[in-house]
Amino acid sequence: MPLLDARSDLQLLEAHRSGERRAFDELVRRHGDRLWAVALRVLRDPEDAADVLQDALESAYRRSAGFRGEASVSTWLHRIVVNKCVDRIRYDRARPPSGYGHIHRLPVGRDPAEGATTRLAVLDALAHLAADQRIPVVLVDVMGYPVAEAAAILQVPVGTVKSRCARGRVRLAGLLGHLREEGA
């Protein structure tokens, strides 16, 4: 049996479809960190992100036969995670707030207090964006995905991703203007 690491994502998915138990594990090992990061940055809550990621991976595992090959396996997995995030956002809007906030572990920069404050401000500002703007901004500006890949993940035209990012950035600039003034 060839090393799992040597096979392409598509080959691994095909092996999973054929009943090879470890093939899907390798896909998760390859893409899990980025999928987690997308879920966490979109949802802003580690527990929600973990739930969504688990749900998305279970869905991909069970429904791998539905993969049509119109995009890369990575894009397909990201799309499932984004869809689950959107579902969670809709669910959260429908339920009353609990009143309890969540503490986020954030990496710190040179000045821990300033870095954490800035990160919290950015996370709070992202939360004020509509999901149709927040998700493209997270994918492109926070996660560093190329616009074309973000468009494939979101299943929208490249121009739509660009315009949603532009609108989101304008909104973020207004929400974060105080950071620019503090740094001057």
Side-chain angles (χ1 to χ4, degrees):
M1 180 171 103
L3 292 175
L4 290 176
D5 289 7
R7 292 185 282 179
S8 71
D9 289 349
L10 185 57
Q11 289 170 326
L12 287 169
L13 188 61
E14 290 300 326
H16 165 69
R17 288 176 174 176
S18 299
E20 186 180 321
R21 297 173 68 176
R22 294 182 138 183
F24 196 82
D25 292 343
E26 176 62 15
L27 285 172
V28 172
R29 187 196 65 75
R30 285 183 188 179
H31 302 288
D33 288 346
R34 289 195 67 136
L35 297 171
W36 163 252
V38 168
L40 183 60
R41 288 190 171 106
V42 168
L43 298 173
R44 299 184 52 222
D45 178 82
E47 290 178 22
D48 285 348
D51 289 346
V52 162
L53 183 58
Q54 181 177 352
D55 189 29
L57 291 174
E58 286 175 9
S59 181
Y61 184 90
R62 286 190 316 270
R63 298 182 180 153
S64 63
F67 177 74
R68 296 184 305 257
E70 295 171 355
S72 70
V73 173
S74 174
T75 298
W76 174 69
L77 290 170
H78 279 80
R79 182 66 195 155
I80 293 169
V81 170
V82 167
N83 283 342
K84 296 293 183 180
C85 287
V86 170
D87 291 346
R88 177 59 62 104
I89 290 167
R90 287 181 185 140
Y91 171 78
D92 287 346
R93 283 189 186 146
R95 70 179 179 179
S98 66
Y100 295 100
H102 297 279
I103 298 171
H104 301 283
R105 294 165 132 229
L106 298 170
V108 293
R110 292 183 187 137
D111 178 356
E114 185 179 320
T117 302
T118 300
R119 283 172 188 72
L120 288 171
V122 171
L123 286 172
D124 286 341
L126 280 168
H128 285 87
L129 296 181
D132 70 327
Q133 292 174 6
R134 181 178 348 133
I135 294 170
V137 167
V138 165
L139 289 173
V140 174
D141 295 335
V142 178
M143 300 297 300
Y145 286 96
V147 172
E149 190 171 348
I153 290 168
L154 298 173
Q155 296 178 331
V156 298
V158 169
T160 301
V161 171
K162 288 179 180 179
S163 66
R164 289 178 180 174
C165 283
R167 286 194 306 270
R169 290 175 191 134
V170 166
R171 178 101 165 99
L172 285 173
L175 293 168
L176 297 171
H178 68 281
L179 292 177
R180 197 172 313 129
E181 294 166 7
E182 290 173 5

